[in-house]
Amino acid sequence: MNRKHEIKNVINSHEYVCPHFSSEVLFTYFFCMEVSSLEDIPEGMIGFTAPPHSYATTRTEKDPYEEIHTYLANNGFENNSKALALEVYQFEDPEWPGKVDVFVPVID
């Protein structure tokens, strides 16, 4: 976080995105900033493009993942477990879970 000023082409300097993936044996979690291009990546950082997907999303005081997965199950949708889930935080107030937008990929 203390190196965010080094990232070029930032789309929204007030928020950061945490893509993540989890399985029975592995969990990955990145702190990212969305950029308009991946030119000039600072040393020690990585750049990647997340493929486009359809998402179910919520912001809630409850467990957002439980809320989304319940909604998906009750409405005939299925989580795309091969894609990254996203959490979008505001730098000024990153309170979990009530002020975080959570996006869970769904199978089209």
Side-chain angles (χ1 to χ4, degrees):
M1 295 294 194
N2 61 349
R3 294 184 59 206
K4 70 181 181 180
H5 65 279
E6 297 177 34
I7 301 171
K8 306 230 185 320
N9 307 310
V10 171
I11 291 175
N12 184 341
S13 63
H14 302 288
E15 70 182 24
Y16 60 98
V17 180
C18 296
H20 64 279
F21 175 82
S22 63
S23 71
E24 292 177 328
V25 295
L26 180 67
F27 180 78
T28 60
Y29 196 85
F30 298 97
F31 289 84
C32 301
M33 297 200 61
E34 186 177 6
V35 297
S36 58
S37 69
L38 290 173
E39 299 168 11
D40 195 24
I41 299 169
E43 186 173 334
M45 295 186 192
I46 63 169
F48 64 93
T49 300
H53 293 284
S54 295
Y55 291 88
T57 185
T58 191
R59 181 185 285 194
T60 179
E61 294 293 333
K62 299 176 184 177
D63 179 338
Y65 291 98
E66 184 176 310
E67 295 282 313
I68 290 174
H69 288 292
T70 298
Y71 175 85
L72 295 177
N74 290 339
N75 290 280
F77 294 102
E78 188 177 344
N79 174 45
N80 183 348
S81 61
K82 294 182 179 182
L84 295 170
L86 308 171
E87 296 172 2
V88 180
Y89 292 83
Q90 302 301 309
F91 279 111
E92 67 185 36
D93 194 5
E95 178 189 328
W96 174 265
K99 297 189 178 175
V100 177
D101 296 312
V102 175
F103 296 81
V104 172
V106 295
I107 295 175
D108 291 324

